[in-house]
Amino acid sequence: MNRSPATKDRIKVHRPSQHSAVSTAPVHPRLSRPGRRPKKPIIPTLLRFIDGFLPLPSYGTFDAEMHRRGRLLVASCFGFFVIALFFGIQMSQVDQYPLTSVLIMFSGCGLSIANLILFRWTGSTTAPGALLCIEALAIQSFQAFHDMGLNDPVLLWMLVIPWLAAFLVSPFSGFIFGGLVALIAGAFFALDLSGYVFPNFTEQAYSLFYFLELSTLGLFLGFLGWLYEGQTLKNLREAHHKLAIAHTDLQKSNRRTEQILESITDGFFSLDHDGCFTDLNPQAEFFLEEPRSALLGRDAREYFSGDVGQEIRGRLRSAAKERIPVDFETFYEPLNRWFKVHVYPFAEGLSVYFNDITERKNYERGLIEAKEEAEQLAQLKSTLLANMSHEIRTPLTSIIGFAGILAQEATGNHQEFASLIGQNGQRLMDTLNSVLDLAQLERGALQYNPIYVDVADETAQIVQLLKPLADDRSLYLRTECVTEDVMAAVDKSLLNRVLNNLIGNAIKFTNEGGIVVTVSGCETRVSVAVSDTGIGISKEFMPHLFDEFRQESTGLARAYEGSGLGLAISRRLVQTMGGHIEVESEKNVGATFTVHFPRTVAAQPSEDD
Ligand code: ADP
């Protein structure tokens, strides 16, 4: 039998290793001894010959089990062919056999070949196996009918049929063919009993024995085949079942991973060690503007090519080379968007997560622009204030001065008008000074020169200056010093402005009674408390007391002059000196503002207040 090279390859694929080891081991010409031919083992050679008739591996699941059965089928077909040929020749030489018997035997040969062809065509042993069993059964039955040949040795073939069927067709078909053998034997026995004369009958009286022998042996062999093949198939089914479960678990796990990747809002893609896309989620498809199918297997360096992808390429390369996670923000020109990218190396390459941060970037840019604008405005404000200081204060000083001279020289109504001009001019000057002070504080341009002073003396001097104001409103104003040592490190000018403001407010907001200014000291600080019997401060207004431009009475109900800046400035000045202000007040009873100064020079402004 000639075998093509293709057939050789096929055998290598399916043959168990022990055979291939024997058959394919090369013998080096120089190593082989002259005159000694390499030994050719018979069984492997025979198996190679049989394998030449097996179907191609491309036929479905042609596994090791199928291979075993395939060999059995091929061997059976050949066995059947040889027996049919042998008996066909023998019958043709004996006169007592009619031509039909001879022809049937020869057609058995043809059918064996047909089975082999069918096997190669279908790639399964089921159909050719069933046909082979039927053919064998039919031919042997015909033979038996001719000579009531239950004693003919060839009929032993019949016993092989159930066993063959169990292997080649299905485990249970062994029983069916075993039953058929029993049926045929039973039919002959019945014919024999009924007195039927078989054409070439030789011996009588043994028909019962042959019937029993054939039928029980046939069923027994069918049973053996079922037992063996049934168990093999059961094992196979169990293995298949386990495999199916593992496959389902794997599919579920894959699906879960896919769902996780789909559910995250970040874009995700992974690259293998060659830099080709191995996976990506829908968000990545959306941002990369290419379908998954077009990206998978494609080289990422080619996708992020040119100058626009230079940064991304570089980052991916360094993450892959150094095997460390890389985070970066990049502007991707083709999409006109900013992305935050995280690159993580893993065993099979790189995983890359990225999200669109264009809005955040725009917001940040807006903030920077706003900051720059605010800085420009602040610069403008400083210029304006500097100009205000010069352009308003200078003429205002002249107005106040000349109004004073006029008030002294004029008489009657004119004197009153001149003093009103002077008063309002002064009021305007106070407001201007407050605004300029605040601007100076905000710029941080305030000069602070602390020296040790006796706070009681300083307070007494200020009170002395403000006394006429209190007298005008028929209020008492006095100073009390309850501690001997009230020395503290303060800036005299700042202390002056703070106490002026607090005592001025006390005079302004008190209609009856008066004001007591108490100076006291403890180990670490010196305190000045300004208590009045005035209108007091409501609980609601208390939190806003030190806010800029805030006054308790506003709008038309406003009964007191002022800009609402005095306390805001005073607090900042006190903080500059390292102290703080406390307030206690009851509406319509009075208010007490207490300022605490540290005895030593303050290192930095206190934020206690
Ligand atoms: P201004 O006195 O110019 O209005 P201030 O900042 O000095 O501004 O004071 C803010 C507000 O606090 C005042 O308008 C007033 O309502 C309240 N206030 C300040 N001192 C007193 C006080 N001694 N008694 C009652 N209310 C006061």
Side-chain angles (χ1 to χ4, degrees):
M1 177 66 69
N2 284 333
R3 286 202 309 270
S4 66
T7 315
K8 264 186 187 170
D9 289 344
R10 193 173 66 238
I11 292 164
K12 274 183 200 167
V13 170
H14 296 297
R15 191 182 310 114
S17 55
Q18 82 243 34
H19 299 142
S20 58
V22 175
S23 60
T24 56
V27 180
H28 198 281
R30 286 175 67 184
L31 294 179
S32 58
R33 289 190 186 168
R36 253 202 186 187
R37 290 174 66 191
K39 234 179 158 183
K40 272 194 178 176
I42 298 168
I43 292 178
T45 311
L46 199 68
L47 288 175
R48 267 207 307 278
F49 172 75
I50 290 173
D51 284 341
F53 293 89
L54 297 181
L56 292 168
S58 54
Y59 280 101
T61 52
F62 196 74
D63 55 18
E65 271 304 312
M66 278 291 286
H67 186 235
R68 197 162 58 85
R69 274 183 225 134
R71 279 178 170 176
L72 185 66
L73 178 71
V74 173
S76 304
C77 286
F78 273 104
F80 189 66
F81 177 85
V82 171
I83 288 170
L85 188 68
F86 174 76
F87 280 101
I89 293 168
Q90 205 185 42
M91 280 174 184
S92 64
Q93 289 167 357
V94 180
D95 289 342
Q96 69 186 87
Y97 286 105
L99 186 63
T100 40
S101 300
V102 177
L103 286 179
I104 282 172
M105 279 298 162
F106 282 124
S107 63
C109 298
L111 284 170
S112 314
I113 306 298
N115 274 341
L116 283 179
I117 295 167
L118 186 67
F119 179 40
R120 284 190 70 117
W121 184 50
T122 59
S124 157
T125 56
T126 313
L131 266 180
L132 181 78
C133 291
I134 291 167
E135 288 156 21
L137 208 60
I139 288 176
Q140 303 313 324
S141 305
F142 183 79
Q143 170 67 12
F145 173 75
H146 257 276
D147 56 1
M148 178 51 202
L150 293 174
N151 58 344
D152 196 324
V154 83
L155 288 184
L156 286 176
W157 250 100
M158 267 206 190
L159 298 178
V160 184
I161 292 168
W163 183 78
L164 268 182
F167 280 89
L168 299 179
V169 185
S170 74
F172 189 69
S173 65
F175 272 133
I176 296 173
F177 279 92
L180 284 175
V181 169
L183 217 69
I184 290 162
F188 287 141
F189 178 56
L191 281 173
D192 186 35
L193 277 188
S194 65
Y196 178 76
V197 182
F198 289 93
N200 296 300
F201 176 67
T202 49
E203 276 186 60
Q204 218 170 6
Y206 289 112
S207 62
L208 175 63
F209 172 73
Y210 291 134
F211 157 66
L212 289 175
E213 193 179 46
L214 265 185
S215 56
T216 50
L217 270 174
L219 283 169
F220 178 67
L221 281 172
F223 175 68
L224 280 187
W226 177 77
L227 263 189
Y228 173 78
E229 192 62 2
Q231 187 56 40
T232 308
L233 281 187
K234 196 175 154 220
N235 291 347
L236 271 179
R237 270 191 212 111
E238 275 174 11
H240 182 261
H241 181 64
K242 280 182 191 157
L243 204 68
I245 290 174
H247 182 67
T248 316
D249 285 352
L250 195 71
Q251 274 184 328
K252 273 187 197 162
S253 156
N254 280 349
R255 186 74 206 122
R256 225 178 358 251
T257 313
E258 269 174 30
Q259 279 172 350
I260 290 170
L261 289 178
E262 277 171 19
S263 67
I264 59 173
T265 50
D266 284 10
F268 160 81
F269 62 79
S270 57
L271 304 175
D272 61 16
H273 289 299
D274 296 328
C276 295
F277 288 97
T278 49
D279 201 358
L280 64 152
N281 70 353
Q283 281 79 354
E285 277 182 283
F286 173 74
F287 284 123
L288 300 180
E289 293 184 315
E290 293 251 13
R292 184 185 164 80
S293 53
L295 284 168
L296 289 183
R298 191 165 154 194
D299 194 330
R301 284 164 298 191
E302 180 222 320
Y303 181 85
F304 298 111
S305 59
D307 289 346
V308 287
Q310 195 177 6
E311 188 187 1
I312 299 175
R313 282 201 315 272
R315 302 283 192 164
L316 292 178
R317 197 171 34 242
S318 68
K321 198 173 153 197
E322 289 161 32
R323 309 299 298 158
I324 46 160
V326 174
D327 286 358
F328 61 98
E329 289 180 3
T330 184
F331 180 71
Y332 192 55
E333 217 177 285
L335 300 176
N336 196 27
R337 302 202 79 75
W338 277 92
F339 289 100
K340 177 142 185 83
V341 188
H342 308 271
V343 187
Y344 303 100
F346 73 111
E348 288 170 21
L350 295 177
S351 61
V352 183
Y353 300 81
F354 58 95
N355 55 347
D356 187 347
I357 54 162
T358 312
E359 277 184 23
R360 199 196 82 198
K361 280 282 177 188
N362 288 342
Y363 181 66
E364 278 175 8
R365 204 172 45 217
L367 277 183
I368 291 168
E369 281 170 9
K371 185 177 163 257
E372 283 168 3
E373 207 171 314
E375 280 169 359
Q376 279 177 5
L377 282 175
Q379 185 62 39
L380 208 67
K381 191 176 115 189
S382 301
T383 317
L384 178 82
L385 289 174
N387 289 347
M388 240 167 79
S389 168
H390 180 72
E391 297 299 324
I392 303 177
R393 221 193 310 218
T394 312
L396 205 54
T397 312
S398 302
I399 291 169
I400 294 166
F402 286 118
I405 296 168
L406 275 177
Q408 280 173 10
E409 291 182 0
T411 52
N413 278 347
H414 288 150
Q415 190 187 32
E416 197 185 327
F417 294 152
S419 67
L420 270 174
I421 291 171
Q423 279 170 25
N424 284 307
Q426 189 56 50
R427 197 172 147 194
L428 194 61
M429 184 66 110
D430 289 347
T431 306
L432 182 66
N433 284 340
S434 295
V435 172
L436 291 174
D437 280 352
L438 191 68
Q440 197 183 27
L441 278 166
E442 276 183 355
R443 281 207 314 278
L446 186 82
Q447 294 290 324
Y448 167 51
N449 301 310
I451 50 164
Y452 278 97
V453 292
D454 188 316
V455 177
D457 281 356
E458 290 299 316
T459 310
Q461 284 176 29
I462 297 162
V463 166
Q464 198 58 40
L465 284 171
L466 291 171
K467 192 92 173 64
L469 264 180
D471 292 344
D472 281 357
R473 291 176 54 81
S474 311
L475 300 171
Y476 61 82
L477 172 61
R478 61 171 186 270
T479 317
E480 286 176 10
C481 186
V482 293
T483 320
E484 263 186 29
D485 175 17
V486 284
M487 294 291 286
V490 292
D491 184 311
K492 275 172 81 168
S493 147
L494 302 191
L495 174 71
N496 212 305
R497 279 154 75 181
V498 171
L499 291 184
N500 243 307
N501 185 38
L502 293 182
I503 300 168
N505 272 353
I507 296 169
K508 187 163 67 175
F509 294 109
T510 305
N511 300 320
E512 275 177 37
I515 299 106
V516 178
V517 183
T518 313
V519 184
S520 61
C522 68
E523 202 180 324
T524 53
R525 64 189 186 189
V526 173
S527 309
V528 182
V530 181
S531 298
D532 64 53
T533 55
I535 60 171
I537 303 154
S538 67
K539 277 197 182 105
E540 294 74 43
F541 186 65
M542 222 26 133
H544 310 292
L545 194 63
F546 293 97
D547 291 354
E548 290 150 17
F549 303 104
R550 290 296 289 263
Q551 294 173 306
E552 190 169 358
S553 61
T554 49
L556 292 174
R558 201 161 80 106
Y560 302 95
E561 291 173 1
S563 60
L565 284 173
L567 286 180
I569 292 171
S570 297
R571 185 166 75 160
R572 294 242 195 145
L573 294 177
V574 172
Q575 283 174 350
T576 307
M577 289 185 279
H580 64 277
I581 301 184
E582 285 170 1
V583 192
E584 278 175 35
S585 177
E586 197 177 324
K587 195 70 187 162
N588 299 322
V589 176
T592 302
F593 286 79
T594 311
V595 192
H596 303 283
F597 301 106
R599 282 197 186 261
T600 51
V601 178
Q604 57 186 36
S606 159
E607 293 294 332
D608 291 354
D609 246 357

